[in-house]
Amino acid sequence: PTGLDPRMTSRQITFEADVQGITPMLKLATVTIPGRDAAYSFTCDEGPTLGGMGSAPTPLAYFTASIAF
């Protein structure tokens, strides 16, 4: 892409995640990128058959979507 230094041969990308358990299956994750003023929060939950409330996507749903991205 325009502006990309052609001499660059590697880069390091770091994310930090803080996860809080709201209920046994409901989790709230906040992901930050060190050095940037960006933070993203999202929740995950399991369905009732696994002891959750089904109130948010499952961890596997997030994982599946990440492959498509």
Side-chain angles (χ1 to χ4, degrees), residues 2-68:
T2 303
L4 184 62
D5 183 349
R7 298 168 292 170
M8 184 182 344
T9 59
S10 66
R11 73 175 76 179
Q12 180 176 334
I13 301 171
T14 304
F15 294 92
E16 294 179 359
D18 177 46
V19 179
Q20 299 174 348
I22 308 302
T23 68
M25 292 294 175
L26 178 64
K27 307 291 190 283
L28 171 64
T30 301
V31 177
T32 57
I33 304 169
R36 296 174 74 185
D37 290 334
Y40 307 96
S41 294
F42 50 95
T43 57
C44 70
D45 195 6
E46 293 289 356
T49 59
L50 294 176
M53 299 179 295
S55 64
T58 65
L60 187 56
Y62 281 112
F63 177 73
T64 303
S66 74
I67 293 170

